């Protein structure tokens, strides 16, 4: 009775989900090699003009925000760069006391005047300066297929600028921040229609509603896990409880569905389950970002700055850096400027930190160790002090899938790690950016294995052998594709109306009889 129920559930779930499984396996191979479009930090910095400031420039970020009527919040950012030939602060803040929405704004760094959002011609000029190409057209979009993630909500609406060239380059410009925030090319868009879009069930019509999209993916994944689990159960039953008939099917498609299922059942189940875990269903995992209160403790009290942005840029340039951008950092009640730019020939992108408060003009590549340790100790007041150590290598939770800073899923080294014994909370802090880069708790190791490990095969031994990891991901995915092709054929035959089968049998019988009498 139990076996019949399992067969019934597996059969009809397979009929419904066979095409979804085929889509997930095939698109996963494409997604592995062609990620969803994004503008990397390295691409953005490489397109910036040199940051050349007069000696009497510029206003500090808090002063510029106050004059512009902007209200910084705990999630605010401020970056000083060049727009045209004028120095500007690009700020993520609320516009005035009554405004609740956090948006990007551009402020004149000399006067504190709020710069109006860009129009079509200005957005095209920004895109041309970014790419070195000629703009051929502009279009205002609230969101489209390549800008649908919520991370771009603070920039909307966007101006899509088509650029000349055979690669079909399109740049998305933020009118508020007056900068390019996303780039796509024709080949990238084509492969994403075969990769990320079907794999994540990511069409704009659904993805523009985040909660609805979340529920759709979760409630498709749950029966998918059940389908894979019943397949494993049937395979185990056939192997261990019916040894004389390991492969009981004689028909081609059912026979190969059974054989491929025996080989692919386990990783099919783990990939489906880990795909479900990627959505954090029902909030089983906590977030990896530090909470707002922790960030307040990390920053400390606002100090009085004694050094302006122009002096910080000059000090960084004196060390052989070609400045491109400056942003403000705060840690343990200390104020720092981070100047990012290009180093000497062959050195690539580099940065310098310049102390903004205090009598001494300290210039360093990272915040002093004592400052980071003090910030970590004050991060969770009222609790016993954490165990703090500096890491020069990745550990089980803090790791990078790629070691190139220009790629996705890169994490910097060295970092400081603080562990609180009471509740198992662990915080990782980057001294080069004076920021908390990751928070972990008791659920993080489970997420590390049940999602990242099982779905991306990014276990440490495989990360150390990228060619082997690629071979496993692609090989197992292709095996899954073959299994799903047999599933689709079997499902189709289940759905063929019985009367058509009877009609075909009757026709076959008439032909046979005619041939016999002839």
């Amino acid at each position: 009775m139990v076996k019949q129920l399992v067969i019934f559930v597996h059969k009809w779930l397979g009929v419904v989900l066979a095409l979804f499984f085929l889509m997930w396996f095939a698109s996963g191979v494409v997604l592995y090699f062609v990620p969803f479009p994004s503008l990397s930090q390295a691409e953005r910095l490489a397109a910036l003009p040199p940051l050349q400031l007069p000696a009497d420039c510029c206003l500090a970020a808090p002063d510029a925000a106050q004059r512009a009527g902007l209200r910084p919040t705990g999630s605010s950012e401020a970056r000083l760069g060049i727009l045209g030939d004028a120095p500007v602060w690009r700020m993520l803040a609320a516009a005035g006391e009554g405004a609740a929405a956090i948006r990007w704004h551009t402020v004149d760094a000399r006067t504190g005047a709020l710069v109006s959002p860009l129009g079509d011609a200005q957005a095209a000029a920004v895109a041309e300066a970014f790419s070195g190409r000629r703009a051929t057209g502009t279009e205002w979009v609230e969101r489209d297929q390549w800008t649908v993630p919520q991370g771009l909500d603070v920039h909307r609406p966007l101006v899509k600028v088509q650029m000349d060239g055979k690669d079909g380059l399109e740049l998305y410009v933020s009118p508020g921040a007056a900068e390019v925030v996303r780039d796509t090319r024709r080949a990238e868009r084509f492969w994403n229609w075969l990769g990320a879009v079907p794999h994540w069930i990511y069409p704009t019509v659904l993805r523009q509603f985040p909660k609805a999209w979340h529920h759709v993916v979760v409630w498709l994944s749950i029966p998918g896990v059940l389908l894979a689990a019943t397949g494993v159960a049937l395979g185990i039953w056939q192997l261990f409880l019916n040894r004389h008939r390991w492969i009981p099917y004689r028909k081609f498609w059912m026979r190969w569905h059974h054989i491929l299922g025996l080989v692919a059942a386990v990783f099919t189940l783990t990939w489906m389950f880990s795909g479900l875990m990627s959505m954090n269903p029902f909030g089983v995992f906590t977030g990896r970002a530090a909470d707002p209160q922790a960030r307040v403790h990390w920053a400390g009290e606002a100090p009085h700055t004694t050094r302006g942005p122009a002096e910080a840029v000059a000090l960084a340039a004196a060390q052989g850096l070609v400045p491109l951008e400056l942003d403000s950092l705060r840690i343990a009640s200390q104020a720092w400027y981070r100047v990012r730019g290009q180093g000497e020939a062959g050195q690539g992108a580099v940065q310098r930190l310049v102390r903004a408060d205090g009598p001494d003009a300290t210039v360093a590549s990272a915040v002093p160790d004592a400052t980071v340790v003090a910030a970590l100790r004050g991060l969770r007041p009222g609790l016993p002090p954490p165990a703090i150590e500096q890491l020069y290598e990745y550990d089980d939770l803090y790791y990078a899938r790629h070691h190139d800073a220009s790629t996705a899923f890169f994490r910097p080294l060295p970092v400081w790690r603080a562990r609180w014994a009471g509740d198992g909370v662990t915080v990782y802090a980057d001294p080069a950016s004076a920021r908390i880069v990751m928070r972990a708790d008791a659920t993080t190791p489970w997420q590390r294995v049940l999602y990242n490990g099982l779905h991306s095969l990014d276990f440490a031994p495989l990360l150390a052998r990228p060619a082997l990891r690629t071979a496993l991901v692609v090989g197992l995915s292709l095996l899954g594709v073959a299994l799903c092709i047999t599933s689709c054929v079997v499902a189709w035959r289940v759905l063929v109306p019985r009367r058509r089968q009877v009609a075909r049998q009757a026709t076959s019988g008439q032909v046979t009889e005619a041939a016999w009498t002839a």
Side-chain angles (χ1 to χ4, degrees), residues 201-219:
I201 313 181
Y202 223 61
T204 307
V205 66
L206 175 62
R207 185 59 182 84
Q208 65 182 318
F209 305 107
K211 290 184 178 179
W213 169 74
H214 174 88
H215 289 306
V216 166
V217 176
V218 167
W219 290 106

